Amino acid sequence: KQEVTQIPAALSVPEGENLVLNCSFTDSAIYNLQWFRQDPGKGLTSLLLIQSSQREQTSGRLNASLDKSSGRSTLYIAASQPGDSATYLCAATGNQFYFGTGTSLTVIP
Amino acid sequence: DGGITQSPKYLFRKEGQNVTLSCEQNLNHDAMYWYRQDPGQGLRLIYYSQIVNDFQKGDIAEGYSVSREKKESFPLTVTSAQKNPTAFYLCASSEGLAGGVNEQFFGPGTRLTVL
């Protein structure tokens, strides 16, 4: 069964810093990798989806990369802002969607 | 605006009661899902449906039931058989089932508390 891991579980950075969030998966036979943002008490908001044939996707200050062979995806956030504070989850799509437990990000003003 | 709505936002249940959580989508998606989220455990799949009048058990279906009478609606009933129902429940949809390039979209969630 696919296992998805996100380390660290929590991260605090000063405003303006660039940062990388990590997502690892055990089975490389995935169709895509999706990154989400979750604010406290809210649903998940889709940020980026990388198809298995792609290496990366960009949206504004966000850049997600995918390396299927090593079972890794990263979410790069440039020039972090306090409004970026949230939990970030990744999900690998195989025969179902497999979610990591998330990284809780705090951006300190 | 297209999206997924869930109601109510907060729900309180007494011991022995059945409660039903609503999920509606206007994205014209075929597939719909129910997840449960507990602190530190991530999302766990309860039920999913690929098409009207068809649904399949997920990893933690015991104590839950669903129906899919309309494409846009996928209500979840938490029965009295569910031993620990207090959790945050999330509904999601995608154009098709996982197994292709399917992006999942989520509703705002329902927080269920057992009194």
Side-chain angles (χ1 to χ4, degrees):
Chain A
K1 182 181 176 181
Q2 176 77 273
E3 291 185 7
V4 180
T5 304
Q6 293 185 251
I7 296 173
L11 180 65
S12 291
V13 300
E15 181 178 1
E17 191 164 294
N18 302 327
L19 61 102
V20 174
L21 304 179
N22 298 299
C23 173
S24 300
F25 47 95
T26 55
D27 186 351
S28 62
I30 63 171
Y31 292 95
N32 60 55
L33 194 293
Q34 192 170 358
W35 281 93
F36 298 88
R37 168 186 174 137
Q38 185 176 31
D39 293 288
K42 307 291 186 182
L44 278 64
T45 299
S46 180
L47 297 173
L48 290 165
L49 180 143
I50 313 174
Q51 297 179 35
S52 61
S53 59
Q54 298 174 324
R55 296 285 292 182
E56 63 179 60
Q57 282 285 338
T58 298
S59 176
R61 294 183 294 109
L62 305 180
N63 177 277
S65 68
L66 175 64
D67 185 342
K68 280 181 56 178
S69 61
S70 67
R72 294 183 60 187
S73 177
T74 61
L75 179 66
Y76 174 83
I77 302 177
S80 58
Q81 303 171 357
D84 295 330
S85 298
T87 296
Y88 292 81
L89 295 97
C90 64
T93 304
N95 57 354
Q96 63 174 285
F97 296 92
Y98 298 93
F99 287 83
T101 53
T103 294
S104 177
L105 172 66
T106 302
V107 180
I108 304 166
Chain B
D1 284 339
I4 302 173
T5 58
Q6 290 185 243
S7 62
K9 184 174 182 179
Y10 298 99
L11 186 58
F12 298 91
R13 191 193 92 169
K14 294 181 180 179
E15 293 282 351
Q17 274 186 336
N18 293 350
V19 292
T20 297
L21 285 59
S22 170
C23 177
E24 304 275 334
Q25 55 99 358
N26 62 2
L27 300 169
N28 199 34
H29 285 171
D30 287 319
M32 297 186 74
Y33 313 80
W34 274 105
Y35 292 92
R36 169 178 172 144
Q37 187 176 36
D38 296 281
Q41 292 196 45
L43 275 69
R44 292 184 289 169
L45 182 64
I46 304 172
Y47 268 98
Y48 62 98
S49 169
Q50 183 179 5
I51 195 170
V52 173
N53 292 324
D54 182 66
F55 45 84
Q56 304 296 328
K57 293 181 179 180
D59 299 322
I60 56 164
E62 184 175 353
Y64 300 97
S65 66
V66 293
S67 63
R68 186 89 185 274
E69 298 177 0
K70 297 185 296 182
K71 184 176 183 177
E72 59 270 24
S73 179
F74 192 40
L76 173 74
T77 296
V78 184
T79 74
S80 57
Q82 171 49 238
K83 300 303 181 187
N84 184 23
T86 295
F88 190 52
Y89 291 86
L90 288 161
C91 179
S93 72
S94 62
E95 286 190 13
L97 278 186
V101 183
N102 283 301
E103 186 173 6
Q104 267 199 328
F105 296 89
F106 281 79
T110 292
R111 183 163 298 282
L112 173 63
T113 303
V114 173
L115 301 174

